[in-house]
Amino acid sequence: MSDRLVVQYDCRATGAPAADVARAVAVEQTIEFPAELAPQWIQDEVVGRIESVDDGSFTLSFDPRLFDASIVQLVNVLWGNVSLIPGVRATSIEVPESFRAAVAGPRFGIAGLRERFQAPRRPLLSTALKPIGLSSEEFARTAGELATAGIDLIKDDHSLADQRWSTWEDRVARCSDAVNAADTGAVYVPSLNLPADRLLDAAVRARELGAGAVMVLPGIAGFDMIRAVAEATGLPVMAHPSMVGSHVVGADHGLPVGFVLGMLPRLAGADLSVFPNSGGRFSFSVDQCREIADNCRVSDVPTACWPTPGGGMTLEKVDTIVAQYGHDVCLLIGGDLHRGDLRERATAFRAAVDDLDC
Amino acid sequence: MSDRLVVQYDCRATGAPAADVARAVAVEQTIEFPAELAPQWIQDEVVGRIESVDDGSFTLSFDPRLFDASIVQLVNVLWGNVSLIPGVRATSIEVPESFRAAVAGPRFGIAGLRERFQAPRRPLLSTALKPIGLSSEEFARTAGELATAGIDLIKDDHSLADQRWSTWEDRVARCSDAVNAADTGAVYVPSLNLPADRLLDAAVRARELGAGAVMVLPGIAGFDMIRAVAEATGLPVMAHPSMVGSHVVGADHGLPVGFVLGMLPRLAGADLSVFPNSGGRFSFSVDQCREIADNCRVSDVPTACWPTPGGGMTLEKVDTIVAQYGHDVCLLIGGDLHRGDLRERATAFRAAVDDLDC
């Protein structure tokens, strides 16, 4: 079974017998066809295999020939049409070793970005350019200050796209220049929430303009766009969870949070995966966040990626976050740096990390 | 308010006062920044405006400059980070007239495909090539029979991608040839569940190979990929709901089903939107399906698109489906055509539609 995709589903909320739901999902996710009418070998090899059925749950496994090394086909097999059935929740997903070995995964990951930022042991630091409505000149000035203060990754707020207040190319050019001029090793990370047919070209253009990393929104552009951007640019890629919540917050519907915000972006090649930390503006629990971080870092195939907890984090919480995740974490603090003098607070953010016993 | 994006949210399941959630969402979806620290004009113009607060619900409106005519930014503003908050459900979404007028929308839509298929009044007929595991030769033979029998749109099962049993280019070439050879006006509709960086080129290649339409999976590739494929190919585009369920089936979380399966694909340019009909393998209600169809067809800006109810439909249900939707519907019957002689049952499918009092 080790080379098959293994998915556990909970179906108590459907009110139907688990054996019936198991048979329905095994067919729905593969041949979508009256099973008894399919050739025998297809019934035996292509239809999902029912590994076990318990009270209110069941486990299926899927032949890797259904998806080979394709991210889009992997998610289609494990959640495509089942997503339309209320009351079914995937509770555990084991991706075959062969798949994990076949994908490129993060180009940099934990080791690569430690080298990139000359940070052999400390957590990385990131922040976001806010608020939307400011001009590119204003963002660039702020970006330069943040780089000078010692922040490693200065990203666009995910809502910054190509609005008239700050158009995409103008912002990327100015912010890249400002961050690179600080000469601290910091990188500017533009958001790629752009039209589907412009996104890859824009990613390459961002590199030409001097951006040192890029941010993809897989809930909007698709998870495989992370891979495509990583391949096209060779830059570190940060994944942002906008729109992804639909797949994970349902009590009795959806996918495991650790898979969607940890393993899946990592398989697709994200070097950093942003998620809402416990104790912030969102209601993710400590256990959910641990599950995400575990999925970012467990084993080394593919390369581990940086859990990047954000969503309302503050300077005062740096020690708590590091205690929660250890040193292999990218700290993301946005608005809180603006509660006072920005340069001063950003410098304090870096100092708090440098003071850690690494 | 008519030129703003207006969204009603239900937040009873959060357990928090609606006024508090309203303020949080208005900020989260725009500046994601301590509102009081933003310049006054940004607080006034860029932050979401609270239009009303009731017991357990609230209505926000958003400045169209946040998204202009961008599909990716529209969905980001109305559901991006809110998606990560359990217990918040968008119950109504009004897209500004200016947005509806600015997008290209369906190139063909209801009127265009009536002309394309010389079907001035009748419903359209579609089916899917199944089951995965067959060879391209087998699919092509079946596709030719279905075209000869009078089916208009012969699509790939959405799980057909680029698997070794039937590789993408080989299948598209053979099935296009077989359908075109029938010379009945039918079109073959290949699935574009392909890697993000191959998808647009493949869409153009499908046209070169003779495919008469293409199918996009926006839940996997992103909704804006519908628009990009329509622009790149000029072909009719069918949207398939794989993975989209996460956004719509939650009782107290998610987006309106009519928006996600009707208006949004239509705004992006889908000429046909597939969804699971009531009474089939899925549990969508008659009311939900009416909401989807209404969103496909209400008003004519942009061009109306074809509601395409499927998911376990049978020949015996043709009259019921037409009674449910009227004649502006694309009937999708898959596996049921194989319960007996395929050619005979496909011919009966067409005859059932020709017999309608149109």
Side-chain angles (χ1 to χ4, degrees), chain B residues 298-337:
Chain B
V298 67
S299 87
D300 55 2
V301 180
T303 307
C305 83
W306 291 84
T308 306
M313 294 300 97
T314 61
L315 282 187
E316 289 62 36
K317 287 181 181 165
V318 167
D319 288 349
T320 310
I321 303 169
V322 175
Q324 190 175 357
Y325 295 97
H327 290 159
D328 287 342
V329 66
C330 179
L331 303 164
L332 171 56
I333 300 182
D336 190 57
L337 296 186

Side-chain angles (χ1 to χ4, degrees), chain A residues 259-284:
Chain A
F259 180 78
V260 173
L261 288 165
M263 185 55 73
L264 186 53
R266 176 181 169 191
L267 289 170
D271 298 287
L272 309 106
S273 179
V274 176
F275 60 92
N277 200 17
S278 51
R281 293 196 308 276
F282 299 88
S283 54
F284 278 39

Side-chain angles (χ1 to χ4, degrees), chain B residues 157-172:
Chain B
D157 204 19
H158 80 281
S159 295
L160 296 178
D162 195 20
Q163 291 95 352
R164 64 193 76 187
W165 303 302
S166 168
T167 58
W168 189 84
E169 175 137 347
D170 185 48
R171 183 176 66 254
V172 176

Side-chain angles (χ1 to χ4, degrees), chain A residues 78-137:
Chain A
L78 72 89
W79 194 239
N81 274 9
V82 191
S83 77
L84 296 155
I85 307 179
V88 178
R89 204 181 206 302
T91 52
S92 157
I93 297 170
E94 288 171 45
V95 175
E97 276 298 315
S98 61
F99 189 96
R100 293 171 61 151
V103 297
R107 296 299 196 283
F108 297 85
I110 291 184
L113 291 188
R114 287 208 169 287
E115 192 169 337
R116 171 74 186 73
F117 291 112
Q118 303 185 353
R121 283 178 298 274
R122 67 169 170 85
L124 296 186
L125 295 87
S126 63
T127 188
L129 298 174
K130 310 177 179 217
I132 184 170
L134 296 186
S135 67
S136 297
E137 290 86 341

